[in-house]
């Protein structure tokens, strides 16, 4: 049973436009949600996170929105840049420190 | 420099042999994690440890073993019981619920 789901395997966005990456979860006990960017054959890089008591967190071009009633979060990247092309993972953590990842969304930003 | 070091970057193993992957961190983090990534797949949790001398199974622990004798070290042994060990292995550490940091990974290939 996959507790964290990223239902879009890929997304293609034009440079300068907004990229929206989505993530759904099933466990209402998750306290924190994290987003990572990953290049092939490298470790994921932490981008931004949000606590379950908030509905929005912003850091530069990256904003994460959390809708607890829908068990849904999204990562917005504005404006998108070619260097943003990578695989993005969302992850969720409960009170046991267990950190569970989704399957990832491949973002391609084209000129 | 502070960080998480995984070694070696590439590892080859003959079928039927055990092999140990190293993960060391000098960030003074309590929690450490091991994940496995297969081509085109997400990150699946193998084992995690919240504190020295304690660890818990993740979602795919069968065929793997770990130890946490020191805070800075969390080695992963891939045993001969692991039926499909060829994969990219990632180690992470954390001291806060809203972040976790990864090493650069070890690619294990069974020959």
């Amino acid at each position: 049973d996959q507790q964290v789901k990223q239902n879009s395997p890929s997304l293609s966005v034009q440079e300068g436009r907004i990229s929206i990456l989505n993530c759904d979860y099933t466990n209402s006990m998750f306290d924190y949600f994290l987003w990572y960017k990953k290049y092939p054959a490298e470790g994921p890089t932490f981008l931004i996170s949000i606590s379950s008591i908030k509905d929005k967190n912003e850091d530069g071009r990256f904003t994460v929105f959390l809708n607890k009633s829908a068990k849904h979060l999204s990562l917005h990247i504005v404006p998108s840049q070619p260097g943003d092309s990578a695989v993005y993972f969302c992850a969720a953590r409960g009170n046991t420190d267990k950190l569970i990842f989704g399957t990832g969304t491949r973002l391609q930003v084209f000129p | 420099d502070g960080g998480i070091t995984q070694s070696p970057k590439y590892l080859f193993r003959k079928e039927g042999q055990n092999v140990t992957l190293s993960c060391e961190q000098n960030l003074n983090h309590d929690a450490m994690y091991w994940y496995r990534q297969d081509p085109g797949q997400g990150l699946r949790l193998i084992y995690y440890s919240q504190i020295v001398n304690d660890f818990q199974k993740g979602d795919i622990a069968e065929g793997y073993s770990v130890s946490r004798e020191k805070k800075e070290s969390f080695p992963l042994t891939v045993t001969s019981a692991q039926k499909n060990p060829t994969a990219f292995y990632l180690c992470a550490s954390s001291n806060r619920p809203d972040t976790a940091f990864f090493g650069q990974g070890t690619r294990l290939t069974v020959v």
Side-chain angles (χ1 to χ4, degrees):
Chain A
D1 178 30
Q2 197 164 354
Q3 296 187 63
V4 180
K5 301 176 185 178
Q6 293 177 259
N7 292 317
S8 298
S10 64
L11 175 67
S12 190
V13 171
Q14 189 173 29
E15 182 178 4
R17 308 290 285 257
I18 184 172
S19 295
I20 300 176
L21 299 124
N22 294 305
C23 180
D24 296 295
Y25 61 95
T26 57
N27 189 341
S28 59
M29 300 303 291
F30 286 141
D31 289 336
Y32 290 87
F33 302 90
L34 293 72
W35 283 96
Y36 287 83
K37 174 181 179 181
K38 187 181 184 301
Y39 296 114
E42 294 184 9
T45 300
F46 173 76
L47 288 174
I48 190 169
S49 62
I50 188 166
S51 162
S52 61
I53 64 173
K54 295 186 176 182
D55 55 18
K56 178 182 175 181
N57 190 27
E58 189 172 357
D59 184 1
R61 296 187 298 116
F62 302 95
T63 303
V64 57
F65 296 92
L66 176 62
N67 182 334
K68 284 187 68 176
S69 60
K71 294 190 177 69
H72 176 84
L73 63 153
S74 60
L75 174 68
H76 293 212
I77 306 174
V78 181
S80 300
Q81 299 172 354
D84 295 329
S85 296
V87 177
Y88 289 78
F89 290 96
C90 68
R93 179 188 239 147
N95 59 4
T96 62
D97 270 343
K98 190 175 182 180
L99 186 59
I100 300 172
F101 280 76
T103 52
T105 297
R106 181 177 302 279
L107 172 66
Q108 183 180 4
V109 179
F110 60 92
Chain B
D1 279 355
I4 304 171
T5 302
Q6 289 186 242
S7 61
K9 190 168 177 63
Y10 300 95
L11 190 56
F12 296 87
R13 187 195 93 174
K14 291 184 179 179
E15 278 195 45
Q17 287 183 338
N18 293 357
V19 64
T20 298
L21 282 62
S22 170
C23 179
E24 302 277 331
Q25 54 100 359
N26 59 6
L27 301 167
N28 201 34
H29 288 176
D30 284 316
M32 296 187 74
Y33 305 82
W34 273 106
Y35 293 89
R36 166 182 174 142
Q37 187 183 25
D38 293 283
Q41 303 291 315
L43 278 64
R44 293 187 290 167
L45 182 63
I46 304 172
Y47 269 97
Y48 67 107
S49 168
Q50 294 172 278
I51 199 167
V52 175
N53 293 322
D54 188 41
F55 48 83
Q56 288 79 40
K57 292 182 179 180
D59 300 318
I60 56 165
E62 186 175 351
Y64 299 98
S65 66
V66 293
S67 63
R68 188 82 188 278
E69 297 176 2
K70 299 185 296 182
K71 189 175 189 178
E72 57 270 24
S73 179
F74 191 41
L76 173 74
T77 296
V78 184
T79 76
S80 56
Q82 169 48 235
K83 291 181 171 45
N84 186 17
T86 294
F88 189 52
Y89 290 87
L90 288 157
C91 178
S93 71
S94 173
N95 67 338
R96 290 168 41 174
D98 61 347
T99 61
F101 299 98
F102 280 82
Q104 287 304 296
T106 293
R107 180 164 300 281
L108 173 65
T109 303
V110 174
V111 296

